[in-house]
Amino acid sequence: MTFDAQAVYTELHAHFRGRIRRNESLSRHCTFGVGGPADVWIALDSRDELMSLVRLCAERRWPLLLVGNGTNTLYADAGVRGIVARVVLNKYTIEEHGDGTALLLAEAGISWPRLLNELAPLGWGGLEFGPGIPGTLGGGVISNAGAHNSDMSQVLEWIEVFDARGSSVNRSSVPLVQRYQRNELDLSYRHSRFRELRRAGRFCWSPDRAGRHEGHDPR
Ligand SMILES: Cc1cc2nc3c(=O)[nH]c(=O)nc-3n(C[C@H](O)[C@H](O)[C@H](O)COP(=O)(O)OP(=O)(O)OC[C@H]3O[C@@H](n4cnc5c(N)ncnc54)[C@H](O)[C@@H]3O)c2cc1C
């Protein structure tokens, strides 16, 4: 595989403009402030962009690392060869069931602190373990984030994943969007199935929306 970083940057710049950078220092994008440059760094802020990039990287065999807020990431001083894409998709909706419960549908890049700060004043409960956990929802799914004897496995209903294998296996240009129910995620203490799969380097993915149904409206 050859990865011509300058050519990739030039090709993608027409779309991403101010959200793509060449030789971006990764120390600016992780809590611990360490790490060398990414060949190409991109901020993704829509589902279409995420799918397009995953598809393109799968087709061209470009290395792609998807990240959230960088609170659980240590980058090497040598940096990262290929593309580092920060998922900043941050929309969410609340589907009320009419019985005091609701399903929260949220994109992977939303920040935990923001989500909690906005939901609490609305009177919703269910995520009380969350305050103090930095980072994004997507990053939280990877490690089954939690605190105070609770974690995401208690409230997560399902996630959707963009699986780049959809491009190579089916010879399709569209990544597979696959929904995993909570019991398929192998969630345990700071663990999910995706940690193992990442280590094996078997696919590149991103959770898109995560839901819960245990909230209640105390008003
Ligand atoms: C001061 C401090 C306190 C913390 N306290 C807690 C705590 O109380 N409880 C707890 O559980 N954790 C805690 N953490 C760890 C961290 O907050 C969580 O792991 C958090 O969920 C990481 O989210 P992130 O968006 O920063 O992920 P990142 O650090 O950006 O990414 C972590 C991993 O997930 C992958 N990833 C992230 N988003 C996506 C995506 N959308 N698609 C595909 N892959 C993705 C990345 O490639 C990387 O491998 C703490 C960290 C710090 C620095």
Side-chain angles (χ1 to χ4, degrees):
M1 178 207 69
T2 56
F3 180 80
D4 182 339
Q6 186 58 40
V8 169
Y9 171 83
T10 302
E11 181 174 338
L12 296 179
H13 185 266
H15 175 80
F16 289 102
R17 304 273 173 190
R19 290 181 289 121
I20 183 168
R21 296 176 200 155
R22 181 87 168 88
N23 292 323
E24 173 76 353
S25 175
L26 292 167
S27 63
R28 299 181 58 201
H29 301 285
C30 75
T31 297
F32 296 100
V34 297
D39 286 338
V40 177
W41 183 92
I42 300 174
L44 299 169
D45 65 9
S46 77
R47 179 187 171 103
D48 286 347
E49 280 187 353
L50 176 58
M51 291 194 75
S52 298
L53 188 69
V54 169
R55 180 185 66 223
L56 199 60
C57 289
E59 287 173 351
R60 307 273 187 94
R61 301 290 187 266
W62 292 345
L64 171 64
L65 174 64
L66 293 171
V67 296
N69 198 46
T71 56
N72 213 29
T73 301
L74 285 176
Y75 294 110
D77 290 343
V80 174
R81 304 289 72 81
I83 300 172
V84 177
R86 178 173 174 169
V87 177
V88 286
L89 286 69
N90 59 13
K91 297 188 182 70
Y92 69 90
T93 57
I94 300 170
E95 288 182 2
E96 299 197 31
H97 295 151
D99 60 357
T101 66
L103 182 72
L104 170 69
L105 298 168
E107 292 183 325
I110 193 162
S111 103
W112 260 111
R114 179 191 150 192
L115 197 55
L116 299 174
N117 285 340
E118 292 182 7
L119 291 180
L122 297 176
W124 291 106
L127 298 178
E128 287 81 359
F129 65 89
I133 303 175
T136 63
L137 188 58
V141 172
I142 300 270
S143 61
N144 187 23
H148 312 297
N149 296 318
S150 191
D151 55 37
M152 295 199 64
S153 72
Q154 308 296 308
V155 293
L156 193 67
E157 191 72 9
W158 50 262
I159 66 169
E160 282 181 353
V161 170
F162 296 154
D163 187 340
R165 290 175 301 180
S167 298
S168 52
V169 173
N170 300 333
R171 297 191 179 283
S172 154
S173 59
V174 181
L176 287 176
V177 179
Q178 186 164 353
R179 184 174 293 198
Y180 290 89
Q181 300 298 324
R182 168 177 42 194
N183 62 7
E184 297 176 289
L185 295 173
D186 193 21
L187 298 172
S188 58
Y189 185 79
R190 304 302 171 262
H191 176 81
S192 73
R193 63 182 292 162
F194 302 111
R195 292 183 78 103
E196 289 177 5
L197 290 168
R198 285 191 69 86
R199 275 201 293 276
R202 285 160 63 182
F203 66 66
C204 117
W205 73 284
S206 170
D208 174 56
R209 301 190 300 177
R212 69 173 175 85
H213 67 161
E214 297 179 4
H216 65 280
D217 186 352
R219 288 173 295 184

